[in-house]
Amino acid sequence: MKKPSIKTITVKNITNFIFIMVTILLLITGFNFRALSKTAIENQALAHAELVKAGLTAQMKSGVMANQGFYLEEIRELKKINKVAIIRGEAINTQFGTANPEGLFRDQAIQQAFVTKTPVFTMDEFNLTPTIRAIIPYIAKPEGALNCLSCHEVPEGTVLGAIDITLDVTTYRNQSLLVLASILFISLSFLLLIIVNTSQIIQHNIQEPLNKLIQHAKLAYKKNQPISTDQFTTSEFTSVADEINLFNNEIIAHQDILQGKNEQLVALNNEIENTLRETVYTMGVIEEKRSQETSNHTKRVALYSQLMAKRSGLSDREVELITAASPLHDIGKIGITDDILLKPGRLSNAEHEIMKSHARMGYTMLSHSKRDILQAAAITALQHHEKWDGSGYPQGLQGEQIHIYGRIVALADVFDALFSSRIYKESWPLSKVIEHIKNQSGKHLDPNLVQIFLDNTADFVKITELYPSKSST
Ligand SMILES: [Fe+2]
Ligand SMILES: [Fe+2]
């Protein structure tokens, strides 16, 4: 999953924070504005109530109470009042007759105003046309210009009646909504500005320097170039660049040490391998001496094998392996007793079988080792008497069942046996050797290797000239 960027996290947090702040601001403003508006409307209703009271009192005093409805309608239109009605209390009913056809307390709000002797206000603000209803009781008091007790024969504090006014508060509500909308608009504009500004700050001060730092850190490592701290404008990135430079210097210093150690190890490994190669070669020479083999046989077989391995397209390592391993192809002969190994005449069938066991013995001697040179030597020792047509020993393998090392050493061994002189025989002439090898193609020898031999006979001969055979002592 892709991880969020610093910019995304910051913008998200700022948005959340501002959203909460704006919500709180809107709630506080909304409630305050509502409370202020309500007080203003209530005061307006109270003022209307006083005006009506004065009008009614004047009418009462001048004896024109019958025109009350006309008067109220005039006031309603003048003051833009939705509804206005007068509710008479018991005392007025008694004094002037009942004028409330719906009954004194036609609803609970009126009853509440009469009982509590205080104004009752009811807001209906969630309508399309919001209104406030005010029921304001007229209480008999002796003081003021309108001394009620002078006309009404009631005890002080009696509720003479009440005015029931309904006012339209759409203007107030619209003003509230306008204020809230303005706050919202201003807040969102600020939010947008803050987001754009924050994004730019992060882009210029974090993302861009960070990318620059990564690029220069790579170069610093690859080309050993310290990061220049002048290109960073903030202390944080300058410090990081300094740290990377220090760290990089340490890595480079360690790399040099490691490289030195590595070279030492490679040299040591080469020495081990050379020592092993020399030991293996010496073992081959020891065997050669004991078998009274013609001299330099081991050396020549190694070089013929190397030549054929190269021309066969084997890898460099395989060429090295067969060159080092081929001198041990007859090492198993160490396990053959002198009376058979050095017998001058023909071997009996039983003796010949014992002689043949040198292949397996060589394998047994070498195969315990995990070193690839000795593994290659074990394969060569086991398979150098196998024949392409399957008539060889000890396993009677055929064709490519025989390992390439076994096939190569077989040809090298045959060529050297025929082309070098032995105590008991002269070497064959080259033409006869070539003829014989050609003849053995696909029988004793791998046809591909025979072809390689035929193509490179001159090089084979050169090897015999470099390392000639002398009578063994
Ligand atoms: Fe052999
Ligand atoms: Fe040999």
Side-chain angles (χ1 to χ4, degrees):
M1 200 180 83
K2 197 170 180 263
K3 291 182 180 174
S5 68
I6 295 174
K7 203 194 275 182
T8 310
I9 293 172
T10 313
V11 166
K12 211 167 152 186
N13 275 304
I14 289 176
T15 309
N16 287 345
F17 177 72
I18 291 182
F19 177 76
I20 292 168
M21 227 176 66
V22 168
T23 308
I24 293 170
L25 194 68
L26 285 176
L27 284 173
I28 292 171
T29 313
F31 279 119
N32 277 336
F33 207 88
R34 183 182 178 273
L36 275 174
S37 305
K38 199 171 172 236
T39 307
I41 299 165
E42 283 173 7
N43 287 337
Q44 197 183 345
L46 287 170
H48 293 340
E50 280 302 309
L51 182 70
V52 171
K53 187 179 167 187
L56 290 176
T57 305
Q59 285 175 13
M60 185 185 69
K61 283 184 176 172
S62 52
V64 287
M65 286 285 279
N67 293 331
Q68 196 188 78
F70 175 74
Y71 168 69
L72 288 178
E73 186 54 30
E74 285 294 308
I75 292 283
R76 194 188 67 74
E77 275 187 19
L78 187 68
K79 298 292 179 185
K80 294 188 174 120
I81 297 169
N82 280 18
K83 254 161 61 181
V84 60
I86 295 296
I87 305 135
R88 285 185 175 182
E90 292 288 356
I92 304 296
N93 278 340
T94 311
Q95 196 174 350
F96 298 106
T98 307
N100 301 326
E102 308 92 340
L104 179 59
F105 303 136
R106 61 174 176 272
D107 62 37
Q108 219 184 350
I110 296 172
Q111 191 176 10
Q112 194 188 335
F114 271 80
V115 172
T116 59
K117 297 183 181 176
T118 50
V120 174
F121 299 99
T122 324
M123 286 271 266
D124 186 5
E125 57 198 310
F126 299 110
N127 266 337
L128 202 61
T129 315
T131 54
I132 186 167
R133 184 183 173 203
I135 300 157
I136 302 155
Y138 292 138
I139 298 160
K141 285 182 243 167
E143 70 268 11
L146 306 171
N147 184 346
C148 308
L149 299 183
S150 63
C151 300
H152 302 292
E153 293 161 2
V154 291
E156 185 183 339
T158 305
V159 179
L160 297 170
I163 182 167
D164 184 349
I165 311 173
T166 304
L167 294 171
D168 188 338
V169 293
T170 308
T171 314
Y172 287 96
R173 189 187 64 174
N174 288 351
Q175 276 177 355
S176 306
L177 290 177
L178 189 66
V179 168
L180 294 180
S182 306
I183 292 172
L184 193 66
F185 175 74
I186 292 166
S187 306
L188 289 179
S189 305
F190 263 107
L191 175 65
L192 197 67
L193 272 176
I194 290 170
I195 287 174
V196 170
N197 193 40
T198 310
S199 297
Q200 279 180 349
I201 290 172
I202 293 173
Q203 179 78 26
H204 291 142
N205 294 295
I206 298 179
Q207 287 183 323
E208 282 171 6
L210 193 62
N211 287 338
K212 213 190 278 180
L213 187 67
I214 292 169
Q215 276 178 359
H216 284 86
K218 281 181 189 164
L219 280 179
Y221 178 72
K222 278 187 195 160
K223 299 190 176 172
N224 195 8
Q225 274 175 358
I227 304 171
S228 158
T229 51
D230 297 341
Q231 58 192 319
F232 299 111
T233 51
T234 54
S235 61
E236 287 85 351
F237 279 98
T238 308
S239 304
V240 174
D242 280 337
E243 286 297 320
I244 290 176
N245 284 339
L246 279 177
F247 187 61
N248 209 24
N249 285 343
E250 278 180 32
I251 288 181
I252 289 164
H254 276 99
Q255 263 182 346
D256 289 346
I257 295 170
L258 277 178
Q259 191 157 357
K261 295 249 182 236
N262 202 32
E263 279 165 11
Q264 280 176 6
L265 278 176
V266 169
L268 197 64
N269 197 45
N270 284 342
E271 200 177 315
I272 291 171
E273 182 131 340
N274 286 339
T275 308
L276 181 63
R277 244 182 251 153
E278 280 170 25
T279 310
V280 163
Y281 179 72
T282 308
M283 283 162 70
V285 174
I286 292 168
E287 182 280 319
E288 179 184 295
K289 291 285 172 202
R290 178 162 179 258
S291 306
Q292 295 184 359
E293 187 63 82
T294 173
S295 68
N296 283 331
H297 170 66
T298 303
K299 187 78 197 172
R300 288 192 302 272
V301 167
L303 293 174
Y304 302 146
S305 300
Q306 184 184 46
L307 180 64
M308 275 187 280
K310 274 187 191 167
R311 300 287 193 271
S312 305
L314 297 189
S315 69
D316 289 351
R317 182 62 187 156
E318 282 178 310
V319 172
E320 274 179 19
L321 286 177
I322 192 166
T323 311
S326 56
L328 291 188
H329 67 278
D330 270 337
I331 193 73
K333 283 186 181 170
I334 285 174
I336 308 291
T337 53
D338 285 355
D339 58 320
I340 296 172
L341 184 68
L342 306 176
K343 186 174 176 181
R346 234 185 131 73
L347 297 177
S348 69
N349 282 348
E351 286 167 340
H352 189 59
E353 283 307 311
I354 293 170
M355 191 64 182
K356 279 161 73 177
S357 71
H358 79 277
R360 272 197 196 281
M361 264 196 276
Y363 178 76
T364 312
M365 287 172 192
L366 301 167
S367 59
H368 65 277
S369 171
K370 286 198 169 67
R371 302 244 13 150
D372 51 1
I373 289 182
L374 294 179
Q375 285 285 320
I379 292 168
T380 312
L382 182 67
Q383 297 188 358
H384 72 282
H385 284 291
E386 296 289 356
K387 293 184 178 177
W388 184 261
D389 62 6
S391 65
Y393 69 87
Q395 292 168 291
L397 300 176
Q398 275 187 345
E400 290 188 355
Q401 285 178 334
I402 309 162
H403 195 281
I404 185 70
Y405 298 166
R407 282 179 268 151
I408 286 176
V409 173
L411 200 154
D413 211 16
V414 165
F415 174 74
D416 200 65
L418 300 178
F419 199 56
S420 58
S421 57
R422 299 281 207 271
I423 305 172
Y424 48 88
K425 74 161 189 61
E426 280 300 305
S427 64
W428 287 15
L430 182 62
S431 58
K432 196 176 166 194
V433 174
I434 293 172
E435 199 52 45
H436 177 78
I437 288 178
K438 257 192 205 169
N439 191 35
Q440 287 304 311
S441 176
K443 295 177 191 165
H444 184 168
L445 303 169
D446 176 352
N448 283 334
L449 293 177
V450 169
Q451 192 54 53
I452 289 170
F453 165 77
L454 294 173
D455 294 343
N456 298 277
T457 312
D459 292 328
F460 277 73
V461 173
K462 239 180 248 168
I463 292 168
T464 62
E465 286 163 4
L466 271 174
Y467 299 97
S469 57
K470 291 167 265 171
S471 287
S472 180
T473 52

